[in-house]
Amino acid sequence: MIKVFIVDDSALVRQVLTTCLDSHPGIQVIGQAADPLFALEKMHKQWPDVLVLDVEMPRMDGITFLRKIMAERPTPAIICSTLTEAGAAVTLDALAAGAVGVFTKARLGLRESLQQMSGDLIRQIEIAARCQPRAMPRKAVETPPAAATKIERAPAVHLTTTDRVVALGTSTGGTQALEVVLRQLPVDCPGIVIVQHMPEKFTAAFAQRLDSVCAIEVREARHMDRVRPGLALVAPGGRHMQLKRSGAQYFVEVLDGPPVNRHRPSVDVLFRSVARHAGHNALGVIMTGMGDDGARGLLSMREAGARTVAQDEASSVVFGMPKEALRLGAAQSTESLQGIPRLIEQYGRSETGIKRSS
């Protein structure tokens, strides 16, 4: 039985969500509160398996509350939000603080909307209950020394071309994990292409947030963007991203298409294109996430001669995607979250890429 606690200042939201969730035989709403301070008092009596948490609330906002929970007793949390441009940044802050999912609330027709989407919320709760959330490592929240010189970064025209590329694929827990990795990379690191499972309208704000705290440039990918050193391109939510090559240069195609492994963008779509067009000139890293998206694509990369790595279980919020990659023999090795930036730097410094173990 999954024990759920709801924190939302709307009595209607609390009432509707409680009714919907209690109707599921595997979920029990053990409590609800209008603000985090009331919630904390109740939660200490019986701690939930999953929190359903609003962002804007009286006395203490949801993000501050989430950071407090993650520091003291990390607990899977799903954020209730609205898909608005203004709200996207707030929601991304919550994801960066440790939330493992986002549930969209409608501004109008709230009762009907929540009832219609209760199935999606139930699925998210079931996923969240299997997560192992972790607070952001202290080193990751400190400003990296290189970030202070970011405004002096050379224009793209002055950067040398590289024939190597790093491909990262992640899902649940990935917003935090990517920040840990990208914040530690120097401006001369290899070009990076990223698929993070995230809804449409969130990826641009997510990339902007990363760009603001990283020494490298991070942005949402546009069709025909060139992959170059010091740049990380994030696949847009709701669209696939593929790597292509023209001569010594790589670029990305952003395209529509049906979901692959239930996802769009799909890690498999990106990894398979990297296998085809970069082959042994690529490093592929599959990171924390539910399901198996990316595992077969990473196997294609390995078969094409790429170096392939899976994030280890100890540092993964959800070990699903890395575990499947290891089961298939797609990943040659595992690496901790804190070790992945060092791995990418090593790959960038070596003229022949990372040496393969025998």
Side-chain angles (χ1 to χ4, degrees):
M1 182 71 69
I2 302 171
K3 296 178 292 185
V4 175
F5 197 101
I6 300 168
V7 190
D8 197 300
D9 61 343
S10 167
L12 175 61
V13 169
R14 298 197 306 273
Q15 184 268 321
V16 174
L17 289 184
T18 298
T19 300
C20 291
L21 297 180
D22 276 341
S23 67
H24 189 281
I27 296 175
Q28 178 188 6
V29 177
I30 61 170
Q32 52 175 271
D35 72 54
L37 297 185
F38 285 135
L40 206 52
E41 293 176 10
K42 296 181 178 181
M43 287 165 56
H44 279 310
K45 298 175 182 176
Q46 185 178 17
W47 203 266
D49 299 313
V50 177
L51 270 171
V52 176
L53 180 65
D54 194 8
V55 173
E56 298 180 327
M57 291 180 289
R59 296 209 293 173
M60 179 186 290
D61 68 271
I63 296 174
T64 300
F65 178 58
L66 181 59
R67 289 181 180 136
K68 178 179 175 63
I69 293 296
M70 290 299 295
E72 297 176 1
R73 189 170 177 176
T75 303
I78 295 171
I79 298 301
C80 290
S81 180
T82 54
L83 281 177
T84 64
E85 185 175 353
V90 175
T91 303
L92 289 171
D93 285 343
L95 289 170
V100 297
V102 176
F103 179 71
T104 305
K105 294 189 298 185
R107 289 186 178 275
L108 301 175
L110 183 58
R111 180 185 296 274
E112 294 75 13
S113 173
L114 289 174
Q115 290 171 340
Q116 290 172 4
M117 294 188 293
S118 61
D120 179 53
L121 178 58
I122 287 169
R123 285 190 293 273
Q124 289 200 38
I125 287 172
E126 290 173 333
I127 290 172
R130 297 196 292 271
C131 293
Q132 302 178 50
R134 294 171 174 83
M136 179 74 79
R138 181 173 296 275
K139 288 176 62 178
V141 299
E142 297 171 352
T143 301
T149 61
K150 180 170 181 175
I151 58 174
E152 301 172 11
R153 181 176 54 212
V157 68
H158 294 150
L159 293 172
T160 57
T161 301
T162 180
D163 64 351
R164 283 177 291 163
V165 63
V166 176
L168 306 179
T170 183
S171 185
T172 310
T175 52
Q176 262 195 311
L178 286 172
E179 182 170 342
V180 171
V181 171
L182 299 183
R183 287 186 73 143
Q184 298 182 57
L185 296 179
V187 294
D188 60 350
C189 72
I192 299 171
V193 286
I194 299 168
V195 164
Q196 159 70 52
H197 294 159
M198 185 171 279
E200 189 177 358
K201 300 182 182 179
F202 275 90
T203 42
F206 174 57
Q208 289 169 5
R209 184 186 188 284
L210 290 176
D211 185 67
S212 70
V213 298
C214 294
I216 66 171
E217 180 182 1
V218 185
R219 58 180 165 83
E220 185 182 62
R222 299 172 302 221
H223 188 59
M224 301 303 289
D225 268 344
R226 188 165 78 85
V227 179
R228 56 171 175 78
L231 171 65
L233 295 172
V234 180
R239 306 191 74 189
H240 291 303
M241 183 172 74
Q242 294 187 153
L243 184 77
K244 295 286 185 173
R245 182 168 182 167
S246 177
Q249 295 185 353
Y250 294 108
F251 61 94
V252 294
E253 288 185 340
V254 176
L255 63 159
D256 295 318
V260 175
N261 301 325
R262 304 173 301 282
H263 296 289
R264 185 175 57 222
S266 163
V267 181
D268 263 335
V269 169
L270 175 63
F271 280 3
R272 284 169 177 157
S273 70
V274 174
R276 287 194 302 271
H277 297 285
H280 67 277
N281 293 320
L283 166 65
V285 185
I286 192 164
M287 299 168 65
T288 175
M290 185 71 65
D292 61 0
D293 187 33
R296 291 170 183 81
L298 195 70
L299 180 60
S300 296
M301 288 184 63
R302 182 174 185 180
E303 291 172 344
R307 177 75 170 95
T308 57
V309 178
Q311 184 179 348
D312 67 6
E313 184 173 9
S315 65
S316 295
V317 171
V318 182
F319 194 51
M321 288 163 52
K323 182 179 181 180
E324 182 65 13
L326 289 166
R327 188 188 71 79
L328 291 177
Q332 295 165 300
S333 62
T334 61
E335 184 59 75
S336 70
L337 179 59
Q338 289 294 336
I340 291 172
R342 183 175 61 250
L343 194 74
I344 295 173
E345 282 193 67
Q346 179 188 355
Y347 177 72
R349 288 195 305 266
S350 172
E351 291 185 1
T352 56
I354 298 176
K355 294 181 180 179
R356 291 167 170 75
S357 57
S358 56

